[in-house]
Amino acid sequence: MENIVFPQGFLWGAATAAFQVEGATGVDGRTDSIWDAFCRVPGKVVGGDTGEPGADHYRRFEQDVALMKELGLKAYRFSIAWPRVRPDGGKVNQAGLDFYRRLVDTLLAHDIVPWPTLYHWDLPQKLEEAGGWTERDTAFRFADYATATVEALGDRVGTWTTLNEPWCSAFLGYAAGIHAPGRTEPAAAAAAVHHLLLAHGLANDVIRSAAPDAKVGITLNMYPIIPVDPGNPADLDVARRLDGLQQRIFLDPLLRGEYPADILADLEPFGFGEHIVEGDLGVISAPMDMLGVNYYTEHYVSSSPNGSEAAPSPWIGVQHASFPRRDAPRTDMDWEVRPDGLTAVLLRLHHDYPRIPLYITENGAAFRDDFSGSGAIDDVDRTGYIASHLRAAHTAIRAGVDLRGYFCWSLLDNFEWAEGYAKRFGIVHVDYATQIRTPKMSARWFSRVARDNALVAVS
């Protein structure tokens, strides 16, 4: 393998999310999130599984942090559960805050950088019953939650992420109905987009006030949107619309202080502009210190319906679009393995938007684990996936992209949203019955990469 060395100080870590790994959903004052409620709806989650007990990280975090240290990880990206800190969106719950104090202190004691995300999709169910992200007030309740959290942890946490993948929260949760809260209301999804971005801006201001030296950012899931036929105006228009809903509707207000004019027009039938109040875009576009990028695959799109009459339901206002299959390796999620798309995403941000430090905050793959006769887990496909994407990231760095870190998704096998526990992304295997953790081959290999700050041969 060629010698691929990453820049000095490059940050190597792994990531999880509260609802996916913590378990203990009814412990120490935590109340229901929208995902607790969604998991109870028959047919919404594979196997009807819930986040309890899952990987039981709430009770086993010390063991897990020790494992991170053993693997040589330098940072841990985790999310804080809103319904633990302010149950039902109400008053502060000290027991919930104390858990995250203990987690942060344990990470620091092991020389691991805590990298918390304030929102990874677990809106308190009581707030959803009051309208959820369709209501402007939810953004202000998020600011209250951010205030309590940052005041408790801001003296020990140097980097904060406000939201994880607001596209999923808005479009999968409110338009497609395949994520919590399970609504299929296009106008609600349009409202949720703006209110999530407003929540980010308000939280950014809260963090600046409570922890002036902290760095603040947001994490977006990004994918190249590639037309099947670049010479076909209809394919180009489908790609424009999907790119606008997936990427530009978030990037442009955050980094340019404005929504894309074409997407404003596309969403006019859904009342999107009615939610934008004077001054909002100034709040949303307040300077950030970094942008997190979650990358898994590409979208290859056509204007041909291919037997369907409409685009998949998340893409509101888009008719006659399809996602043709190509001859490519696929993960257990049936996602194409396309590492070059990561290079393309990073270069687009570098060339098309104001410069901002970038971090890959999620990248990884679900594959079926292969247990050898010795009990080792030889996850060759997962290891190869990560290696190929690290090469793609390094290509972007060589081209001038200011990429400063990489977080593997995920540290632990976990609850994979609508897929329940049927899919495994972890570099560490979790036996959910016994709670035994077993580092896979990918974990041992990634450990060497982190220690060497360089890509090493897969063996």
Side-chain angles (χ1 to χ4, degrees):
M1 179 178 289
E2 61 193 293
N3 185 29
I4 297 179
V5 179
F6 285 79
Q8 185 175 3
F10 196 80
L11 189 64
W12 296 98
T16 66
F19 191 75
Q20 293 180 271
V21 299
E22 282 184 2
T25 53
V27 170
D28 294 337
R30 182 193 180 279
T31 55
D32 275 358
S33 73
I34 53 175
W35 272 95
D36 293 284
F38 189 70
C39 287
R40 299 186 190 115
V41 179
K44 290 296 186 180
V45 174
V46 172
D49 293 322
T50 71
E52 172 69 44
D56 201 28
H57 184 61
Y58 187 82
R59 299 179 182 91
R60 301 171 186 270
F61 73 90
E62 291 176 318
Q63 172 189 352
D64 292 336
V65 172
L67 181 57
M68 293 178 221
K69 179 67 173 180
E70 177 190 335
L71 293 175
L73 300 182
K74 308 301 182 187
Y76 177 44
R77 178 177 177 253
F78 60 97
S79 78
I80 294 170
W82 189 346
R84 266 193 215 290
V85 172
R86 296 191 83 124
D88 293 336
K91 65 180 182 179
V92 173
N93 175 32
Q94 290 301 325
L97 281 175
D98 286 344
F99 166 70
Y100 295 107
R101 287 190 180 99
R102 293 192 300 272
L103 174 59
V104 167
D105 287 347
T106 304
L107 290 166
L108 292 173
H110 286 76
D111 296 318
I112 298 171
V113 176
W115 193 285
T117 297
L118 287 169
Y119 186 71
H120 200 128
W121 308 353
D122 47 2
L123 180 72
Q125 175 62 17
K126 287 291 186 183
L127 292 183
E128 173 57 31
E129 291 168 6
W133 288 112
T134 70
E135 292 294 323
R136 185 178 177 88
D137 184 64
T138 301
F140 291 89
R141 301 291 71 75
F142 181 73
D144 293 341
Y145 153 62
T147 298
T149 306
V150 178
E151 285 179 350
L153 303 176
D155 60 334
R156 286 158 287 175
V157 171
T159 303
W160 294 87
T161 301
T162 55
L163 309 178
N164 178 78
E165 297 184 358
W167 182 88
C168 293
S169 296
F171 290 104
L172 297 184
Y174 287 88
I178 58 176
H179 276 196
R183 293 165 65 172
T184 53
E185 306 162 37
V193 167
H194 183 67
H195 296 149
L196 282 156
L197 285 169
L198 180 60
H200 156 79
L202 294 171
N204 188 353
D205 183 62
V206 162
I207 297 167
R208 302 287 186 200
S209 298
D213 295 330
K215 295 180 179 180
V216 186
I218 191 172
T219 284
L220 305 178
N221 51 324
M222 296 188 63
Y223 308 90
I225 310 288
I226 304 169
V228 169
D229 182 0
N232 181 346
D235 279 12
L236 289 173
D237 189 59
V238 165
R240 174 196 66 78
R241 287 172 178 262
L242 299 188
D243 179 69
L245 292 174
Q246 175 77 55
Q247 263 106 210
R248 291 183 290 123
I249 198 171
F250 299 103
L251 288 169
D252 284 29
L254 287 165
L255 298 176
R256 292 179 175 155
E258 60 185 9
Y259 283 110
D262 63 318
I263 301 305
L264 285 173
D266 289 343
L267 293 182
E268 184 178 2
F270 306 100
F272 182 66
E274 299 170 9
H275 303 289
I276 305 170
V277 175
E278 184 176 356
D280 282 359
L281 285 165
V283 174
I284 292 168
S285 63
M288 296 188 295
D289 301 293
M290 56 89 181
L291 176 66
V293 175
N294 292 355
Y295 177 81
Y296 292 96
T297 189
E298 297 174 337
H299 290 319
Y300 188 61
V301 302
S302 170
S303 58
S304 169
N306 283 354
S308 66
E309 296 183 355
S313 52
W315 309 100
I316 61 176
V318 181
Q319 299 299 315
H320 303 302
S322 60
F323 297 76
R325 297 176 70 91
R326 293 175 286 183
D327 184 17
R330 306 180 85 86
T331 72
D332 200 32
M333 295 291 289
D334 203 30
W335 298 343
E336 292 183 355
V337 179
R338 294 285 179 179
D340 289 349
L342 176 57
T343 308
V345 161
L346 296 173
L347 288 174
R348 179 189 188 180
L349 289 169
H350 180 71
H351 291 301
D352 293 357
Y353 287 91
R355 301 288 170 80
I356 185 171
L358 303 175
Y359 291 83
I360 298 170
T361 39
E362 285 184 26
N363 177 245
F367 288 106
R368 297 182 185 276
D369 290 333
D370 179 18
F371 288 81
S372 71
S374 66
I377 303 169
D378 297 327
D379 56 338
V380 176
D381 288 338
R382 181 178 294 105
T383 306
Y385 178 101
I386 297 170
S388 67
H389 285 76
L390 288 177
R391 283 194 291 273
H394 195 267
T395 298
I397 292 171
R398 289 202 308 265
V401 173
D402 186 10
L403 181 65
R404 301 189 181 186
Y406 176 96
F407 291 81
C408 175
W409 184 269
S410 171
L411 174 68
L412 303 170
D413 286 335
N414 57 55
F415 176 85
E416 183 45 42
W417 308 114
E419 299 290 342
Y421 292 102
K423 308 295 182 183
R424 291 180 179 267
F425 275 86
I427 59 173
V428 174
H429 180 272
V430 178
D431 184 319
Y432 297 120
T434 65
Q435 292 299 325
I436 292 174
R437 273 85 160 128
T438 304
K440 306 174 188 180
M441 182 180 81
S442 58
R444 300 302 183 192
W445 172 82
F446 190 64
S447 174
R448 299 202 311 275
V449 171
R451 288 193 170 105
D452 292 352
N453 196 40
L455 205 56
V456 299
V458 177
S459 60

